[in-house]
Amino acid sequence: MESGIMETYVMGVATEQEIEQVSVLRKQFPEFEQELRNLEYDMEVLAHRMAIPPPPGVLAKIEHEVHEIQLREQKVKKYAEPEPTTNHEQAKKDRYIEVESASSHMRIHKAWRWVFAAVFVLGKIFLGFAIYFYLANKQAQEQILELKTEIRQNAPFR
């Protein structure tokens, strides 16, 4: 039971040897059969809880594509003879259904990209000016302090 054979069997990834072992154990032990059913039920409940619902409109798109494929097949059967093997790949391609879902990403008009780029560049320019004026102010404060100390040293005592 602790070998994980039940889990691999329920998930459908068991090897043929493991499937044979499960079959033997089912026949020999009725409690094994019950535990297997419980595990299947638990995994199904887990799968339902973790399921992500498809985007709205996907079912309608699939139904539309299936309907289109059915109409194409009916037309082919009515009007055309069997296609030669060279078009086999195209026939295979027509059987697949393409489903496009709505993206959850925000879409931005191309003009806004330039606006964002300009704002970014201007932000960098203003940051440069802020640093420059901060350093200039700091240097001016130091010069004022030096001048004050020089004036105090050169001034006569009172």
Side-chain angles (χ1 to χ4, degrees):
M1 286 243 199
E2 293 184 21
S3 66
I5 192 170
M6 290 175 65
E7 289 82 3
T8 57
Y9 178 79
V10 170
M11 288 188 288
V13 294
T15 63
E16 291 194 24
Q17 182 183 3
E18 291 173 335
I19 293 171
E20 289 175 19
Q21 287 177 344
V22 169
S23 298
V24 169
L25 290 172
R26 286 173 114 174
K27 291 175 185 173
Q28 289 179 351
F29 304 105
E31 59 271 2
F32 184 83
E33 176 75 29
Q34 184 60 36
E35 285 300 317
L36 198 59
R37 286 186 188 143
N38 289 342
L39 181 63
E40 286 175 346
Y41 177 76
D42 290 344
M43 292 186 93
E44 187 174 338
V45 168
L46 180 67
H48 280 290
R49 286 186 184 161
M50 293 176 65
I52 299 172
V58 170
L59 181 62
K61 288 180 182 179
I62 291 172
E63 288 176 342
H64 176 72
E65 288 291 328
V66 168
H67 182 68
E68 290 293 321
I69 290 171
Q70 288 174 345
L71 287 177
R72 261 187 269 145
E73 287 179 357
Q74 286 176 357
K75 288 180 183 177
V76 167
K77 287 178 184 176
K78 285 182 182 178
Y79 301 112
E81 295 178 4
E83 295 179 334
T85 56
T86 57
N87 291 334
H88 180 67
E89 291 179 19
Q90 182 64 29
K92 250 187 185 177
K93 193 182 222 182
D94 290 341
R95 290 184 190 158
Y96 292 107
I97 300 171
E98 291 186 30
V99 178
E100 294 180 19
S101 64
S103 175
S104 63
H105 297 289
M106 187 172 94
R107 295 182 186 220
I108 299 174
H109 193 270
K110 286 186 179 183
W112 283 105
R113 292 180 185 168
W114 291 106
V115 171
F116 289 137
V119 168
F120 180 77
V121 169
L122 286 174
K124 295 296 180 183
I125 291 170
F126 289 142
L127 178 64
F129 278 122
I131 291 171
Y132 171 77
F133 285 119
Y134 171 76
L135 294 174
N137 184 24
K138 189 175 180 182
Q139 186 179 11
Q141 293 291 332
E142 289 175 1
Q143 287 177 352
I144 290 172
L145 187 60
E146 287 176 10
L147 288 174
K148 283 183 181 179
T149 56
E150 190 177 313
I151 290 173
R152 285 186 195 148
Q153 290 175 354
N154 294 335
F157 290 106
R158 292 184 193 173

